[in-house]
Amino acid sequence: EAGVTQFPSHSVIEKGQTVTLRCDPISGHDNLYWYRRVMGKEIKFLLHFVKESKQDESGMPNNRFLAERTGGTYSTLKVQPAELEDSGVYFCASSPHGQVVGELFFGEGSRLTVL
Amino acid sequence: AQTVTQSQPEMSVQEAETVTLSCTYDTSESDYYLFWYKQPPSRQMILVIRQEAYKQQNATENRFSVNFQKAAKSFSLKISDSQLGDAAMYFCAYRSTFNTGTASKLTFGTGTRLQVTL
């Protein structure tokens, strides 16, 4: 069974440009999460999808970030326009429906560097 | 809001020895879950061990065990007989027992990088 995959693994862009990160969760997992780790700091929650619906987007930093999950399958996280403070590692995770005390299955992360 | 603190940015242990990673947290909830996740270099983060706050018995998974002190809000991870493959970033995480709204997310600490030497 394929795990959570994220693309690209590393992206280097200039301030003001746009970047789109993609996450493919484990097949059949209804829950999809985005997290971000800024260098040396804690991993912070960004948002949570249940299928195609946003369950919780309280962690999204501002309106430069847009997340979508079309058809309840893969998800994209677009940053437009990117700022220096957006640099970090963006993690995607998924879990099955109804799993109360379940583990999250993480991807390897997408490292974003904004110059 | 809950917070998780890992006060050891880096730790080192010799192969076959034992190491303890510390984690403290702050919450007003009486029931919750605690986790240790491990991220090896350039690899996916995986769950190492989990503890349910209402259980007094400390969780154990092979060479990994926790020391859960609920009153002190402490949740340390002990790795026995350390192996080279244990070298990784270790994150402590908290999750509410509620499963609706904003409660289902994990709150992480800053991580502890563990080096394993020969």
Side-chain angles (χ1 to χ4, degrees):
Chain A
E1 178 183 272
V4 176
T5 57
Q6 293 187 244
F7 182 83
S9 58
H10 191 187
S11 182
V12 181
I13 61 173
E14 293 191 349
K15 176 182 173 181
Q17 290 186 317
T18 298
V19 64
T20 299
L21 310 177
R22 172 171 171 143
C23 169
D24 286 79
I26 293 173
S27 178
H29 281 194
D30 288 343
N31 294 295
L32 188 149
Y33 301 83
W34 283 99
Y35 287 83
R36 174 175 75 172
R37 183 175 191 234
V38 173
M39 183 63 69
K41 299 200 173 178
E42 69 271 28
I43 300 172
K44 282 194 172 181
F45 169 83
L46 295 178
L47 88 159
H48 170 206
F49 284 101
V50 177
K51 296 185 179 179
E52 67 275 8
S53 300
K54 291 177 184 175
Q55 173 82 359
D56 175 10
E57 53 183 328
S58 62
M60 294 288 265
N62 50 60
N63 59 11
R64 296 185 294 103
F65 289 74
L66 175 63
E68 294 180 325
R69 190 180 183 194
T70 307
T73 55
Y74 71 90
S75 174
T76 58
L77 180 64
K78 180 190 286 188
V79 185
Q80 179 182 31
E83 297 289 345
L84 298 179
E85 64 264 25
D86 301 333
S87 295
V89 181
Y90 290 76
F91 293 101
C92 177
S94 70
S95 69
H97 170 70
Q99 193 173 25
V100 177
V101 189
E103 63 184 285
L104 295 188
F105 296 85
F106 282 85
E108 292 185 19
S110 290
R111 181 176 297 276
L112 173 63
T113 302
V114 182
L115 303 176
Chain B
Q2 296 83 18
T3 58
V4 176
T5 301
Q6 293 179 251
S7 59
Q8 306 155 317
E10 289 190 8
M11 291 283 284
S12 183
V13 63
Q14 281 193 321
E15 200 177 18
E17 296 296 308
T18 296
V19 65
T20 298
L21 309 184
S22 65
C23 172
T24 59
Y25 58 93
D26 190 26
T27 184
S28 59
E29 297 178 333
S30 59
D31 200 13
Y32 43 86
Y33 305 109
L34 296 165
F35 306 86
W36 279 98
Y37 277 84
K38 160 188 176 181
Q39 187 182 23
S42 301
R43 300 281 300 279
Q44 294 163 321
M45 189 152 52
I46 57 173
L47 178 66
V48 175
I49 199 166
R50 86 188 85 191
Q51 175 82 40
E52 294 162 43
Y54 70 88
K55 290 186 177 179
Q56 294 186 341
Q57 187 173 8
N58 288 325
T60 299
E61 288 287 342
N62 301 313
R63 297 181 296 106
F64 297 86
S65 62
V66 299
N67 183 6
F68 173 49
Q69 301 289 327
K70 191 173 184 180
K73 295 181 181 175
S74 171
F75 183 61
S76 61
L77 174 70
K78 185 171 83 170
I79 306 174
S80 304
D81 185 26
S82 297
Q83 301 175 359
L84 294 177
D86 294 333
M89 197 76 181
Y90 286 81
F91 293 96
C92 179
Y94 172 105
R95 184 194 187 280
S96 172
T97 54
F98 297 102
N99 202 34
T100 58
T102 64
S104 61
K105 63 185 180 186
L106 292 177
T107 300
F108 286 91
T110 51
T112 295
R113 182 174 302 282
L114 179 66
Q115 292 183 322
V116 182
T117 59
L118 294 172

